[in-house]
Amino acid sequence: MKTVPGLVYLLDDEPSLLVALTRLLQTEGHVVHGFTTPAAFLAAYQRDEPACLVLDVAMPEIDGLEFQQILRQAGLLVPIIFLTGHGSIPMSVRAIKAGAVDFLTKPVEATDLLRSVDQALQRATAQGRILREATELTRRLAQLTPRECEVLRHIITGKLNKQIAADLGTGEQTIKVHRGRVMEKMGATSVADLVRIAQKVGLGPADVAASV
Amino acid sequence: MNWVTIIWSGIAAMCLTLATIHLLVWNKLRNHHASLFFSCSAAALAVVSFFELARMNTQSVEELAWLGRWQHVPQWIITLSIVGFVHTYLRAGRRWLAWLVIITRSLAVVINFIVTPNLTFKAITGLRQIPWLGEQVTIPIGQLSPWLALSQISWLLLVFFILDAARAIWGQGERRRALVVGGGFALTGALTIGQMLTALLGGANLPTAISPSFLPLILAMSYELSRDLIRVGQINQELRQSTASLRESEQRMALAVETAKLGLWVRDLPHGAMWASEQWRALLGYPVGTTPTLENFIARLHPDDRAPTKEALMRADRLGGTYELKYRVLQPDGETRLMASRGRIELGPNGQAERARGVTFDITEQHLADMEAQRHRTELAHLSRVATLGELSGSLAHELNQPLAIILSNAQAAQRLLAQDPPDVAEVRAILTDIVSEDRRAGQVIQRLRSLLKQGESRVELLDINQVVNEVLRLTRSDLIDRNVSVRCQLAPTLPPVYGDAVHLQQVLLNVLLNACDAMEKNAARDRIITITSTGRDSEVRLLVHDVGCGLPPGEPEQIFKPFFTTKPNGLGLGLGICRSMLQACQGRLWAESNADRGTTLHIALLSSAPA
C-alpha cells in the first residue's frame, strides 16, 4: 500500500517520545505537529485540513479517552490513534467504539503505527471529501428560491411536471422552467442525481399525502 | 506470826527468789556478769535479813555478838557484788573509788574478826527487850566500837561511787537508768546510814537493820536487769526472725543466681587478686580446680576481645562507678559464647578503688534471638516493600516502557533514514544520542527498583528529603496519573540533610502515598489531590502528606499502626506498622492526624543534622 503523506498531530506529555515519533513519521513524508498538552493541540488544530491525532492515553491533565469525548462533543472528528503504556481490553473496546482508528501499546512497532496513521489519514481524507461535498451542496441549496425548493421536493418524489403543476396549482410550463433552474443550480444532470443530492443535504420529499 | 518475822522473812524470800532467777539467767548467759553480781548481792541480802531476824529474836549476848560478827560477811559480799554490778552493768564509776570501797569494806571485815565481840561494839553489856512493830525484839546494850566508823565510811564511799557512776551515765544520755540505779542506791544509802545512826547513836529504841533499806536497791537492780532480759528476749526474737528472713533471702538469692546462671566475682584491685563463684568459672570454661586470675581470664577470651576488654577493665578501675562489658569467651569445646558482665568499683575509706564486684552472664541465646528478630524485621520490611512495589506495577511498567518506546521509535526511524538515498546521517546521529540517553534512563529506573527490591541491612546516612520525595514521585508518576491523583509539592528549598535509610524512607513515602490514593478512590476524578509539604523545624525535618480522602477509620488514630489493622479488602495491615518501625530505627516518627475539613495528613518527622 502506497502511503499518502498527510498531517499528523501528536499529543503526549513526554517530549522525547514526541521527537522520536516525529522522526519516524517524517520518514514517510508526513507533516508532524507534536504537543505536550491538550490545550496546545486545540490551539493549533486546523479543522479544514485532513489530519489524524496520535494520542497518549495517560496524560497528567486529562485522560486520553476523556479527551476523545470532548473532541467529539466539539464536533472535531479528527481520527484518533491511541497509544498506551498498559492498555486493557475494555479500555481499547471503549476507544474503538467511540470511533478511534486503533489502540496501540507502547513500545509501538513502526509498521503498526505507520499503517494506523495511513488508515486514519484515509479516513480523514474521506471525511474531508464528504464534508466538502456536503458544504458545496448546502451552499447550492441555499441559492434556490423557496418556490424552486418546493419544486425540488416534489421532483425527488418522482412526479411528472404535470402532476407537480396540479399539486402546486400552476401551469406545467412554469414547473418545467423551475425544474430546469433547479437542475442547473444544484449541478445535477438527472432526477437520480437530484435524489442523491437531496439525501446528502438531508432534504426530505414533499408531503405525499397531499398529492393523492 | 508478827510483822517483824513477816517483813524480814518476806525480804529474805524475795531476795532469794530474785537471786535464783538471775543465777539461772547467768547460767544461760555466762558473759552476763551483771546477773551473777546481782544474784550474789540478793542472796547475801537474804542472809543478812536472816541474821537480823535471828538477832532480834536472840536471848543471849554471846549469840548476838556471834551473829553481829558473821553478819559482816554477807555485807562484804553485798558491797563487792554491788561494785561489780555497777562496774559491769553500768560500765561506769571511778576505778579508784571502787577499790577504796572494796578495801575499806574488806578491812572492816578483817578488823571485825580480830576485835571482840565485833566491829560494832567494844563490849555488849546486856540485852533489852523492846516492843517494835507489835513484837518484842531484842536489842543489844553496850559500848560502840570506834571501828564502826570504818564500816560507815565504806558505806558512804559506796554511795559516792554509785552516785558518781549514775552521774556519768546520766551524762551519756542514759537518764532513766541513772535515775533508777542512782536513785535506788541513794535511797538505800540514806536509809541505811540514817537508820544506823539513829539506832546506835541516838539511843533510840530501835534494832539496827539494813536489809529493808537495801531492798529498794535490790529492786532497782532487779528492775533494770529484768528490762534487759525482756529486751534480750525481744532481740532474740527479732534476731531469730531476721536470721530466718536472711536465710530466706539468701536462698532466694542463691536460687536467682543459680536459675539465671549468674557468675559472681570479686577483684581485689590493690593486690590484683580475684575470687569467682563456681558458676562464673563454669561460664568461662575453667577446668575444675583452677584459680582464676585476671591474666588467665583475659586468655580465655576471643583474641579480638582481649585487648579491648583489658582496656575497658582498666578504664573502669580508674574511673570508678559501674560498668558494663560484653565479650566473647572461647569454650574448651571450641564453641564461642557471648557474655555480659556488670561490675561496680567499691572505694576504700581514702577514696581509693579497693575492689570490683559484679556478675557475669551468658547472653549468647539472647543475642542470637535478637539477631533473629532483627533478621525477621528486615525480611518483613523487604516483603512489605516488594508488596508495595507490586501495587506500583503500572508505574513500573510505564517507567520502563516509556524509554523503551522512545528507543524503539527512534531506532526504527534511524533504520528508515539509513535506507534513504542519501541517508540523513546528521539526523541518525541525533537519534543515536537520544537512544543513549533513554537507555540510561531505563537503566536508572532498574537501578532504583533494584535498590528498593534489594534485601539488605538498614544503613542510616544523611539524605536530602526533597530528593527522596522526587524519587518516589518519579516512581509513582504514572500510577498517580492512572488513578487521576494529582500531587502538589510544597517543598522547602533549603532543608538540612536528615538521618535515614534512603530505601526505607522511599518505602515509607510510597506506602503513605498509596494509602492516600486509596483513601481518595471514591472522590471525583478532579477531586483527588495529595499535597506534600516539607518543613524544617529545630533539629527536625517534617514531611506532611495531606489527602482529601475518606479520612481515618473511626476510633483511635493510632490503631492504623497496629499490626493486622487494615481497611482494605486485600490488605495485610502490616504496611504502616512496618513503616513506623523503620522510621524509629533512625529516630524518626510517623503519625496520622485528621484534617480539619476532610481527609488525613500523615506526618513523617526525621532527625536532621541541624543543631537544635
Side-chain angles (χ1 to χ4, degrees), chain B residues 32-277:
Chain B
H32 201 245
H33 299 297
S35 286
L36 180 63
F37 285 127
F38 171 78
S39 190
C40 289
S41 54
L45 187 64
V47 175
V48 167
S49 100
F50 276 124
F51 270 83
E52 285 172 350
L53 189 59
R55 255 188 358 198
M56 285 188 278
N57 287 323
T58 187
Q59 299 302 322
S60 91
V61 173
E62 287 73 33
E63 200 180 59
L64 190 114
W66 185 85
L67 285 167
R69 173 175 273 177
W70 281 98
Q71 191 183 330
H72 279 277
V73 175
Q75 281 176 4
W76 178 71
I77 293 172
I78 289 176
T79 309
L80 259 58
S81 303
I82 288 174
V83 170
F85 178 85
V86 170
H87 181 68
T88 56
Y89 182 71
L90 298 183
R91 294 184 197 286
R94 289 167 210 268
R95 203 162 271 252
W96 62 268
L97 207 52
W99 281 116
L100 209 55
V101 171
I102 292 168
I103 288 165
T104 48
R105 175 57 53 195
S106 303
L107 205 60
V109 174
V110 172
I111 291 167
N112 171 51
F113 280 99
I114 294 169
V115 297
T116 35
N118 55 34
L119 192 75
T120 318
F121 290 95
K122 205 183 265 174
I124 300 172
T125 50
L127 299 174
R128 194 152 54 103
Q129 294 283 318
I130 56 158
W132 194 52
L133 298 172
E135 195 180 358
Q136 292 291 320
V137 298
T138 308
I139 56 168
I141 306 168
Q143 219 177 340
L144 285 175
S145 164
W147 292 110
L148 180 63
L150 188 64
S151 170
Q152 301 297 39
I153 287 166
S154 178
W155 287 133
L156 264 177
L157 286 170
L158 183 61
V159 171
F160 282 134
F161 171 68
I162 293 179
L163 286 178
D164 178 56
R167 190 193 52 76
I169 61 166
W170 176 282
Q172 287 164 17
E174 297 211 46
R175 302 196 165 184
R176 190 194 49 75
R177 218 181 237 204
L179 267 183
V180 171
V181 179
F185 207 88
L187 190 63
T188 298
L191 282 173
T192 312
I193 294 167
Q195 194 261 357
M196 277 222 178
L197 290 177
T198 356
L200 297 172
L201 301 173
N205 291 332
L206 275 177
T208 55
I210 61 161
S211 46
S213 32
F214 263 82
L215 195 60
L217 179 64
I218 291 294
L219 287 178
M221 284 159 71
S222 169
Y223 171 72
E224 273 303 306
L225 280 179
S226 307
R227 274 183 64 93
D228 275 8
L229 280 181
I230 290 165
R231 270 197 58 216
V232 165
Q234 282 171 345
I235 288 171
N236 242 331
Q237 183 76 19
E238 282 165 16
L239 197 63
R240 205 171 303 133
Q241 280 170 357
S242 71
T243 310
S245 67
L246 189 65
R247 193 173 303 130
E248 175 70 24
S249 82
E250 255 174 21
Q251 279 171 350
R252 249 183 263 145
M253 186 73 171
L255 182 68
V257 164
E258 202 175 303
T259 317
K261 296 211 166 71
L262 295 175
L264 308 178
W265 49 263
V266 179
R267 283 188 292 124
D268 182 350
L269 297 175
H271 305 102
M274 184 167 181
W275 171 89
S277 68

Side-chain angles (χ1 to χ4, degrees), chain B residues 13 18 34 73 84 140 156 196 199 433 512 523 589 598:
Chain B
L18 289 172
V73 175
L156 264 177
M196 277 222 178
T433 309
V512 169
N523 289 21
R589 290 175 294 140
R598 62 189 174 137

